[in-house]
Coordinates of all heavy atoms in Angstrom, one line a residue:
M1 N -9.7 9.1 36.1 CA -9.4 7.7 35.7 C -10.3 7.2 34.5 O -9.9 6.5 33.7 CB -9.5 6.8 36.9 CG -8.9 5.4 36.6 SD -7.2 5.5 36.4 CE -6.8 3.9 36.0
N2 N -11.5 7.7 34.5 CA -12.5 7.3 33.5 C -12.0 7.8 32.1 O -12.3 7.2 31.1 CB -13.9 7.8 33.8 CG -14.5 7.1 34.9 OD1 -14.1 5.9 35.2 ND2 -15.4 7.7 35.6
V3 N -11.4 9.0 32.1 CA -10.9 9.6 30.8 C -9.8 8.7 30.2 O -9.8 8.4 29.0 CB -10.4 11.0 31.0 CG1 -9.8 11.5 29.7 CG2 -11.6 11.9 31.4
L4 N -8.9 8.2 31.1 CA -7.8 7.3 30.6 C -8.4 6.0 30.1 O -8.0 5.5 29.0 CB -6.9 7.1 31.8 CG -5.7 6.2 31.4 CD1 -4.8 6.8 30.4 CD2 -4.9 5.9 32.7
A5 N -9.3 5.4 30.8 CA -10.0 4.2 30.3 C -10.7 4.4 29.0 O -10.6 3.6 28.1 CB -10.9 3.7 31.4
L6 N -11.4 5.5 28.8 CA -12.1 5.8 27.6 C -11.1 6.0 26.5 O -11.3 5.6 25.3 CB -13.0 7.1 27.8 CG -13.8 7.5 26.6 CD1 -14.8 6.4 26.2 CD2 -14.5 8.8 26.9
T7 N -10.0 6.7 26.7 CA -9.0 7.0 25.7 C -8.4 5.6 25.2 O -8.2 5.4 24.0 CB -7.9 7.9 26.2 OG1 -8.5 9.1 26.7 CG2 -6.8 8.2 25.2
I8 N -8.0 4.8 26.2 CA -7.5 3.5 25.8 C -8.5 2.6 25.0 O -8.2 2.0 24.0 CB -7.0 2.7 27.1 CG1 -5.8 3.5 27.6 CG2 -6.7 1.3 26.8 CD1 -5.4 2.9 29.0
F9 N -9.7 2.7 25.4 CA -10.8 1.9 24.7 C -11.0 2.4 23.3 O -11.0 1.6 22.3 CB -12.1 2.1 25.5 CG -13.3 1.4 24.8 CD1 -13.4 0.0 24.8 CD2 -14.3 2.1 24.3 CE1 -14.4 -0.6 24.1 CE2 -15.4 1.5 23.6 CZ -15.4 0.2 23.6
V10 N -11.0 3.7 23.1 CA -11.1 4.3 21.8 C -9.9 4.0 20.9 O -10.0 3.7 19.7 CB -11.4 5.8 21.8 CG1 -11.3 6.5 20.5 CG2 -12.8 6.1 22.5
G11 N -8.7 4.0 21.5 CA -7.5 3.6 20.8 C -7.6 2.2 20.3 O -7.2 1.9 19.2
F12 N -8.0 1.3 21.2 CA -8.1 -0.1 20.8 C -9.2 -0.3 19.7 O -9.0 -1.1 18.8 CB -8.5 -1.0 21.9 CG -7.3 -1.3 22.8 CD1 -7.3 -1.2 24.2 CD2 -6.1 -1.8 22.2 CE1 -6.2 -1.6 24.9 CE2 -5.0 -2.1 23.0 CZ -5.1 -2.0 24.4
L13 N -10.3 0.5 19.7 CA -11.3 0.4 18.7 C -10.7 0.9 17.3 O -10.9 0.2 16.3 CB -12.5 1.3 19.0 CG -13.5 0.7 20.1 CD1 -14.6 1.7 20.3 CD2 -14.1 -0.6 19.5
L14 N -9.9 2.0 17.4 CA -9.3 2.4 16.1 C -8.3 1.5 15.6 O -8.3 1.2 14.4 CB -8.7 3.8 16.4 CG -9.6 5.0 16.6 CD1 -8.8 6.2 17.0 CD2 -10.4 5.2 15.3
V15 N -7.5 0.9 16.4 CA -6.5 -0.1 16.0 C -7.2 -1.3 15.4 O -6.9 -1.8 14.3 CB -5.6 -0.5 17.1 CG1 -4.8 -1.8 16.8 CG2 -4.7 0.6 17.5
G16 N -8.2 -1.8 16.0 CA -9.0 -2.9 15.5 C -9.7 -2.6 14.2 O -9.7 -3.4 13.2
F17 N -10.2 -1.4 14.0 CA -10.8 -1.0 12.8 C -9.8 -1.0 11.6 O -10.1 -1.5 10.6 CB -11.5 0.4 13.0 CG -12.1 1.0 11.8 CD1 -13.3 0.5 11.3 CD2 -11.6 2.1 11.2 CE1 -13.9 1.0 10.2 CE2 -12.1 2.6 10.1 CZ -13.3 2.1 9.6
F18 N -8.7 -0.4 11.9 CA -7.7 -0.3 10.8 C -7.1 -1.7 10.5 O -6.8 -2.0 9.3 CB -6.6 0.7 11.2 CG -7.1 2.1 11.0 CD1 -7.1 2.9 12.1 CD2 -7.4 2.6 9.8 CE1 -7.6 4.2 12.0 CE2 -7.9 3.9 9.7 CZ -8.0 4.7 10.8
V19 N -6.9 -2.5 11.5 CA -6.4 -3.9 11.2 C -7.5 -4.7 10.3 O -7.1 -5.4 9.4 CB -6.1 -4.6 12.5 CG1 -5.9 -6.1 12.3 CG2 -4.9 -4.0 13.1
I20 N -8.7 -4.5 10.7 CA -9.8 -5.2 9.9 C -9.8 -4.7 8.4 O -9.9 -5.4 7.5 CB -11.1 -5.0 10.6 CG1 -11.2 -5.9 11.8 CG2 -12.3 -5.4 9.6 CD1 -12.4 -5.6 12.7
L21 N -9.7 -3.4 8.3 CA -9.6 -2.8 6.9 C -8.4 -3.3 6.2 O -8.5 -3.5 5.0 CB -9.7 -1.3 7.0 CG -11.0 -0.7 7.3 CD1 -10.9 0.9 7.4 CD2 -12.1 -1.1 6.3
W22 N -7.3 -3.3 6.8 CA -6.0 -3.8 6.2 C -6.1 -5.2 5.7 O -5.8 -5.6 4.6 CB -4.8 -3.6 7.1 CG -3.6 -4.0 6.5 CD1 -2.8 -3.4 5.6 CD2 -2.9 -5.3 6.8 NE1 -1.7 -4.1 5.3 CE2 -1.7 -5.3 6.0 CE3 -3.2 -6.3 7.6 CZ2 -0.8 -6.4 6.0 CZ3 -2.3 -7.4 7.7 CH2 -1.1 -7.4 6.9
I23 N -6.7 -6.1 6.6 CA -6.9 -7.5 6.2 C -7.9 -7.6 5.0 O -7.7 -8.4 4.1 CB -7.4 -8.3 7.4 CG1 -6.2 -8.4 8.4 CG2 -7.9 -9.7 7.0 CD1 -6.6 -9.0 9.7
A24 N -8.9 -6.8 5.0 CA -9.9 -6.8 4.0 C -9.3 -6.4 2.6 O -9.6 -7.0 1.6 CB -11.1 -6.0 4.3
T25 N -8.5 -5.4 2.6 CA -7.9 -5.0 1.4 C -6.8 -5.9 0.9 O -6.5 -6.1 -0.3 CB -7.3 -3.5 1.5 OG1 -6.3 -3.5 2.5 CG2 -8.4 -2.5 1.7
A26 N -6.1 -6.6 1.9 CA -5.0 -7.5 1.5 C -5.6 -8.8 0.9 O -5.0 -9.4 0.0 CB -4.2 -7.8 2.7
C27 N -6.8 -9.2 1.3 CA -7.4 -10.4 0.8 C -8.3 -10.1 -0.4 O -8.8 -11.1 -1.0 CB -8.3 -11.0 1.9 SG -7.3 -11.6 3.3
D28 N -8.5 -8.9 -0.8 CA -9.4 -8.5 -1.9 C -8.6 -8.8 -3.2 O -7.6 -8.3 -3.5 CB -9.7 -7.1 -1.8 CG -10.8 -6.7 -2.9 OD1 -11.4 -7.6 -3.5 OD2 -11.0 -5.5 -3.1
P29 N -9.2 -9.7 -4.0 CA -8.5 -10.1 -5.3 C -8.4 -8.9 -6.3 O -7.7 -8.9 -7.2 CB -9.2 -11.3 -5.8 CG -10.6 -11.2 -5.2 CD -10.4 -10.5 -3.9
R30 N -9.3 -7.9 -6.1 CA -9.3 -6.8 -7.0 C -8.3 -5.7 -6.7 O -8.1 -4.8 -7.5 CB -10.7 -6.2 -7.0 CG -11.8 -7.1 -7.5 CD -13.1 -6.5 -7.4 NE -13.4 -6.3 -6.0 CZ -14.3 -5.4 -5.5 NH1 -14.9 -4.7 -6.3 NH2 -14.4 -5.3 -4.2
S31 N -7.6 -5.8 -5.6 CA -6.7 -4.7 -5.2 C -5.3 -5.0 -5.7 O -4.5 -5.6 -5.0 CB -6.7 -4.5 -3.7 OG -6.2 -5.6 -3.1
F32 N -5.0 -4.6 -6.9 CA -3.7 -4.9 -7.5 C -2.9 -3.6 -7.6 O -1.7 -3.7 -8.0 CB -3.9 -5.5 -8.9 CG -4.5 -6.9 -8.9 CD1 -5.7 -7.1 -9.5 CD2 -3.8 -7.9 -8.4 CE1 -6.3 -8.4 -9.5 CE2 -4.3 -9.2 -8.4 CZ -5.5 -9.4 -9.0
N33 N -3.4 -2.5 -7.3 CA -2.6 -1.3 -7.4 C -1.4 -1.3 -6.6 O -0.3 -0.9 -7.0 CB -3.5 0.0 -7.0 CG -4.6 0.1 -8.0 OD1 -4.5 -0.3 -9.2 ND2 -5.7 0.8 -7.6
E34 N -1.5 -1.7 -5.3 CA -0.3 -1.7 -4.5 C 0.7 -2.7 -4.9 O 1.9 -2.5 -4.9 CB -0.7 -1.9 -3.0 CG -1.5 -0.8 -2.4 CD -3.0 -0.9 -2.7 OE1 -3.4 -1.9 -3.3 OE2 -3.7 0.1 -2.4
R35 N 0.2 -3.9 -5.3 CA 1.1 -4.9 -5.8 C 1.8 -4.5 -7.1 O 3.0 -4.8 -7.3 CB 0.4 -6.2 -5.9 CG -0.1 -6.7 -4.6 CD -0.9 -8.1 -4.7 NE -1.5 -8.4 -3.5 CZ -2.8 -8.8 -3.4 NH1 -3.5 -8.9 -4.5 NH2 -3.3 -9.0 -2.2
D36 N 1.1 -3.9 -8.0 CA 1.6 -3.5 -9.3 C 2.7 -2.4 -9.1 O 3.7 -2.3 -9.8 CB 0.6 -3.0 -10.2 CG -0.3 -4.1 -10.8 OD1 0.1 -5.3 -10.6 OD2 -1.4 -3.8 -11.3
A37 N 2.5 -1.6 -8.1 CA 3.5 -0.5 -7.8 C 4.8 -1.0 -7.3 O 5.8 -0.4 -7.5 CB 2.9 0.5 -6.7
L38 N 4.8 -2.2 -6.8 CA 6.1 -2.8 -6.3 C 6.8 -3.6 -7.4 O 7.9 -4.1 -7.2 CB 5.8 -3.7 -5.1 CG 5.3 -3.0 -3.9 CD1 4.9 -3.9 -2.8 CD2 6.3 -2.0 -3.4
L39 N 6.2 -3.9 -8.5 CA 6.8 -4.7 -9.6 C 7.9 -3.8 -10.3 O 7.7 -2.6 -10.4 CB 5.8 -5.1 -10.6 CG 4.7 -6.1 -10.1 CD1 3.7 -6.4 -11.2 CD2 5.4 -7.4 -9.8
P40 N 8.9 -4.5 -10.8 CA 10.0 -3.7 -11.5 C 9.4 -3.2 -12.8 O 8.4 -3.8 -13.4 CB 11.1 -4.7 -11.7 CG 10.5 -6.0 -11.6 CD 9.3 -5.9 -10.6
L41 N 10.0 -2.2 -13.4 CA 9.5 -1.7 -14.7 C 9.9 -2.7 -15.8 O 10.9 -3.4 -15.7 CB 10.2 -0.3 -14.9 CG 9.8 0.8 -14.0 CD1 10.6 2.0 -14.3 CD2 8.3 1.1 -14.0
E42 N 9.1 -2.7 -16.8 CA 9.4 -3.5 -17.9 C 10.6 -2.9 -18.7 O 10.7 -1.7 -18.9 CB 8.2 -3.6 -18.9 CG 7.0 -4.3 -18.3 CD 5.9 -4.4 -19.2 OE1 6.0 -4.1 -20.4 OE2 4.8 -4.8 -18.8
P43 N 11.5 -3.8 -19.2 CA 12.6 -3.3 -19.9 C 12.2 -2.7 -21.3 O 11.1 -3.2 -21.8 CB 13.5 -4.5 -20.1 CG 12.7 -5.7 -19.9 CD 11.6 -5.2 -19.0
D44 N 12.9 -1.8 -21.8 CA 12.6 -1.2 -23.1 C 12.8 -2.3 -24.2 O 13.7 -3.1 -24.1 CB 13.5 0.0 -23.4 CG 13.2 1.2 -22.5 OD1 12.1 1.2 -21.9 OD2 14.1 2.0 -22.3
S45 N 11.9 -2.2 -25.2 CA 12.0 -3.2 -26.3 C 13.2 -2.9 -27.2 O 13.8 -3.8 -27.7 CB 10.7 -3.2 -27.1 OG 10.5 -2.0 -27.6
T46 N 13.5 -1.6 -27.3 CA 14.7 -1.3 -28.1 C 15.7 -0.6 -27.2 O 15.4 0.3 -26.4 CB 14.3 -0.3 -29.3 OG1 13.7 0.9 -28.7 CG2 13.3 -0.9 -30.2
P47 N 17.0 -1.0 -27.3 CA 18.0 -0.3 -26.4 C 18.2 1.1 -26.9 O 18.1 1.4 -28.1 CB 19.2 -1.2 -26.7 CG 19.0 -1.9 -27.9 CD 17.5 -2.0 -28.1
S48 N 18.4 2.0 -25.9 CA 18.6 3.4 -26.2 C 20.0 3.5 -26.8 O 20.9 3.0 -26.3 CB 18.4 4.2 -25.0 OG 19.3 3.9 -24.0
R49 N 20.1 4.4 -27.8 CA 21.4 4.6 -28.4 C 21.9 6.0 -28.1 O 21.1 6.9 -28.0 CB 21.3 4.5 -29.9 CG 20.9 3.2 -30.4 CD 20.8 3.2 -31.9 NE 20.2 2.0 -32.4 CZ 19.8 1.8 -33.7 NH1 19.9 2.8 -34.5 NH2 19.2 0.7 -34.0
K50 N 23.1 6.1 -27.9 CA 23.7 7.5 -27.6 C 23.8 8.2 -29.0 O 24.2 7.6 -30.0 CB 25.1 7.4 -27.0 CG 25.0 6.9 -25.5 CD 26.4 7.0 -24.9 CE 26.3 6.6 -23.5 NZ 27.6 6.7 -22.8
S51 N 23.5 9.4 -29.0 CA 23.6 10.2 -30.2 C 25.0 10.5 -30.5 O 25.9 10.5 -29.7 CB 22.8 11.5 -30.1 OG 23.3 12.3 -29.1
D52 N 25.3 10.7 -31.8 CA 26.7 11.0 -32.2 C 27.1 12.4 -31.9 O 28.3 12.7 -32.0 CB 26.8 10.8 -33.7 CG 26.5 9.3 -34.2 OD1 26.8 8.5 -33.3 OD2 26.1 9.1 -35.3
H53 N 26.2 13.2 -31.4 CA 26.5 14.6 -31.0 C 27.3 14.7 -29.7 O 27.9 15.7 -29.4 CB 25.3 15.4 -31.0 CG 24.6 15.5 -32.3 ND1 25.1 16.1 -33.4 CD2 23.4 14.9 -32.7 CE1 24.3 16.0 -34.5 NE2 23.2 15.2 -34.0
E54 N 27.2 13.7 -28.9 CA 27.9 13.7 -27.6 C 29.3 13.4 -27.6 O 29.9 12.6 -28.2 CB 27.2 12.8 -26.6 CG 25.8 13.3 -26.3 CD 25.1 12.3 -25.3 OE1 25.8 11.6 -24.6 OE2 23.9 12.4 -25.3

């Protein structure tokens, strides 16, 4: 029974650790990589033309 209690305790510690890290990175104003990855791509400045060979 002690092994089960220890396993649950370590699991809760790991969950708490990762939640704290997630909150810290979500609140960090310098972490723009994840947010920039979700932005749509910028449209091309010149429209692409089909070549006359097609």
Side-chain angles (χ1 to χ4, degrees):
M1 190 66 183
N2 288 336
V3 174
L4 182 62
L6 182 64
T7 303
I8 292 172
F9 177 71
V10 170
F12 280 133
L13 283 178
L14 288 174
V15 167
F17 178 70
F18 286 115
V19 166
I20 289 170
L21 285 179
W22 180 75
I23 291 172
T25 57
C27 294
D28 188 12
R30 296 175 295 157
S31 66
F32 292 112
N33 293 335
E34 293 86 7
R35 293 182 190 131
D36 288 344
L38 297 174
L39 293 175
L41 297 175
E42 294 181 9
D44 293 335
S45 59
T46 57
S48 61
R49 298 180 189 168
K50 289 187 176 180
S51 63
D52 296 332
H53 300 291
E54 291 181 19

